[in-house]
Amino acid sequence: MSQVTVIGTGYVGLVTGVCLAHSGHDVICVDIDPAKIAMLASGTSTIYEPGIEDLLRQGIDRGNLRFATPENGWRDLIADITFVAVGTPMAANGAADLSAVRSVVEGLVSAAERPFTLVMKSTVPPGTGAALAERFLSDARVAISYVSNPEFLREGHAIDDWYTTDRIVIGTNDAAAEARMRELYADIESPIIATDVSSAETIKYASNAFLSTKISFINEIANLCDCIGADIDAVSRGIGLDTRIGSQFLRAGIGYGGSCFPKDTRALDFIATLNGYQFTLLKSVIEVNNRQRLLPVVHLLHALPDLHDRSVAILGLSFKPNTDDVRESPALDIVPLLTEEGASVKIYDPVAHDVQIPGATRVDSVWSALEGASAAVIVTEWEEFVQLDWQHAKTVMCMPAVIFDGRNCLDPLAIRAAGLTYMAVGRDGAHRGA
Ligand code: UGA
């Protein structure tokens, strides 16, 4: 079993730490935020992720999952295998902001007193490993092996994805480091792609860019369906059954959000431009996604020309179900546009409680959000909304009321049978209403 340190306890770092501990490795999770570390050490997860708290508690009880801050320096925290899993948020120019990564790597390199393997789990653009090696590792007093080991974890499914991944990517030019990584992941049945650092980094970005492309593509087809009166559900099924295309990521709606696709597509476009390449397709994918998230506003203004003094319910704030993560959620763009139009907006999300959007009111039940509302926008396909009693919704909403199903997750017939106007994305010309 390996000695492992994971630096950063966000959505990726925490999953990495608890899962490696669950596999029997001896793990220390490190974060600069003492409040987070105290909470995690007491067995309470700092993120909403199904299954994580059980694994967290098991690891603490077994004694092979510990937590620390770097307040006393990095030296004693460096393990044989040290993961960097800190955030790489989007900078104002679209590039990935690597300041946290650089600061951690610099700290580790200057504190290291014995050789170790430095594993980059943070999503860093192609070329970053080479740049870090030149800037920091070449001056190190001890031998540091660098490995790019990107993650393919979906929030909300991250624990399952860890154990049932389609592939493990190990990017390094150091054979011994590759062997250590293979040993670390020995209990996971998966093909391993062993390659160089830049190719590993590119696999991560190309994967997210391709999945984003699939989403923007199906959204364009859905918009076309609305123009010609075709049904995107049938079209998605019909093309997805072709195994060369595949049925996943063909759900049309108001586009992708989250901490990964918006940031990674922008960063890949940035890095392509910086290297003299115009990635035309990717630029279009981003543009389509930006436009797609405005659809609810466009169609509500069409259905209810004057939103002044009307109440609109926003159902869902997280960028997808089963997470409390609201980063790049379409709601963050939709709500200000509705309030600018004079609507009074009430937001309900079953899990993402802590976020406020200026001008909108947070409510603590779906029924409070719908009470008196002339329209409801489904931003997140939480099961609670899919299972809602829409007959009852009609009795609390201000009729005639419109439901804009931004995730194509409701049964149009049931909504219409309840006497509500149903609008969606590419469903049977649905934006024209019933
Ligand atoms: C994504 C990738 O799926 C992971 O493989 C990757 O590791 C992760 O980013 C990352 O880079 O860290 P995640 O952002 O958690 O994972 O969520 P997804 O399930 O991929 O969904 C992303 C967005 O696309 C969501 O807003 C979702 O609603 C949207 N989406 C997804 C669609 O609009 N249509 C679809 O058919 C699928």
Side-chain angles (χ1 to χ4, degrees):
M1 288 296 150
S2 307
Q3 303 290 322
V4 178
T5 290
V6 182
I7 300 167
T9 58
Y11 289 88
V12 171
L14 190 57
V15 172
T16 303
V18 298
C19 288
L20 286 174
H22 188 67
S23 296
H25 301 292
D26 201 3
V27 179
I28 303 181
C29 290
V30 180
D31 202 289
I32 47 169
D33 183 342
K36 259 189 180 182
I37 289 300
M39 196 168 160
L40 290 168
S42 74
T44 306
S45 178
T46 42
I47 57 169
Y48 179 88
E49 182 66 48
I52 202 162
E53 212 159 78
D54 278 353
L55 296 191
L56 174 68
R57 290 187 181 152
Q58 286 171 28
I60 293 169
D61 292 347
R62 258 195 325 268
N64 70 335
L65 177 59
R66 287 169 297 138
F67 295 90
T69 66
E71 61 181 345
N72 296 322
W74 289 111
R75 199 193 61 186
D76 297 335
L77 296 175
I78 299 173
D80 297 341
I81 300 181
T82 298
F83 280 87
V84 177
V86 296
T88 54
M90 189 169 9
N93 60 4
D97 176 352
L98 299 178
S99 50
V101 166
R102 285 196 201 98
S103 139
V104 167
V105 171
E106 187 173 17
L108 294 173
V109 168
S110 57
E113 290 183 348
R114 59 189 176 87
F116 71 101
T117 301
L118 174 58
V119 185
M120 189 55 65
K121 201 65 157 169
S122 299
T123 298
V124 295
T128 301
L132 290 173
E134 193 185 319
R135 181 161 163 195
F136 300 115
L137 305 194
S138 53
D139 290 343
R141 284 170 289 141
V142 295
I144 301 175
S145 318
Y146 186 90
V147 177
S148 165
N149 175 222
E151 51 85 19
F152 303 101
L153 307 168
R154 289 164 303 164
E155 287 179 25
H157 297 268
I159 306 288
D160 282 349
D161 284 354
W162 179 272
Y163 291 107
T164 59
T165 182
D166 293 330
R167 76 295 207 190
I168 291 171
V169 175
I170 302 174
T172 185
N173 57 9
D174 180 327
E178 181 192 321
R180 280 192 285 278
M181 294 303 290
R182 285 181 181 270
E183 211 180 301
L184 185 75
Y185 290 129
D187 62 329
I188 299 177
E189 241 177 75
S190 154
I192 290 187
I193 309 291
T195 183
D196 60 278
V197 171
S198 288
S199 303
E201 292 167 339
T202 306
I203 290 170
K204 169 69 187 179
Y205 276 83
S207 300
N208 277 2
F210 187 77
L211 293 169
S212 304
T213 303
K214 262 187 121 175
I215 297 170
S216 279
F217 177 82
I218 204 65
N219 283 335
E220 289 267 72
I221 295 290
N223 296 341
L224 183 63
C225 284
D226 272 336
C227 296
I228 60 183
D231 174 19
I232 191 62
D233 294 347
V235 174
S236 285
R237 237 185 357 267
I239 64 175
L241 285 172
D242 184 328
T243 50
R244 292 169 303 175
I245 296 173
S247 57
Q248 295 189 53
F249 282 72
L250 289 182
R251 258 185 309 107
I254 52 176
Y256 58 79
S259 62
C260 305
F261 290 175
K263 160 176 90 74
D264 295 348
T265 45
R266 291 280 307 276
L268 187 59
D269 180 39
F270 185 89
I271 214 80
T273 307
L274 206 62
N275 284 277
Y277 184 69
Q278 287 302 311
F279 201 151
T280 314
L281 175 62
L282 189 59
K283 288 182 195 301
S284 300
V285 167
I286 296 166
E287 189 186 330
V288 168
N289 196 60
N290 290 341
R291 196 182 57 200
Q292 206 67 14
R293 52 178 54 200
L294 305 183
L295 279 187
V297 182
V298 173
H299 292 307
L300 283 193
L301 284 174
H302 181 72
L304 306 167
D306 188 3
L307 287 179
H308 269 100
D309 301 327
R310 284 189 191 266
S311 172
V312 178
I314 295 292
L315 303 188
L317 188 50
S318 57
F319 80 97
K320 65 177 206 176
N322 294 321
T323 178
D324 57 351
D325 194 346
V326 303
R327 285 176 287 179
E328 297 286 332
S329 165
L332 303 176
D333 285 339
I334 295 167
V335 171
L337 287 172
L338 290 174
T339 53
E340 265 169 44
E341 290 295 329
S344 111
V345 177
K346 287 191 277 183
I347 305 174
Y348 168 70
D349 188 286
V351 167
H353 295 298
D354 300 335
V355 188
Q356 298 295 338
I357 304 184
T361 310
R362 293 297 310 263
V363 294
D364 57 9
S365 82
V366 65
W367 299 114
S368 322
L370 291 174
E371 181 79 49
S374 300
V377 179
I378 310 276
V379 172
T380 317
E381 63 275 36
W382 283 103
E383 198 53 26
E384 181 177 355
F385 308 146
V386 177
Q387 300 299 337
L388 201 75
D389 179 350
W390 288 98
Q391 293 280 353
H392 183 62
K394 183 197 169 184
T395 64
V396 303
M397 293 182 79
C398 172
M399 294 300 286
V402 176
I403 309 299
F404 187 93
D405 180 1
R407 296 297 178 187
N408 286 6
C409 62
L410 306 179
D411 174 1
L413 294 179
I415 305 295
R416 288 180 177 138
L420 296 155
T421 300
Y422 180 75
M423 302 162 102
V425 186
R427 286 182 128 184
D428 194 19
H431 75 267
R432 287 187 281 269

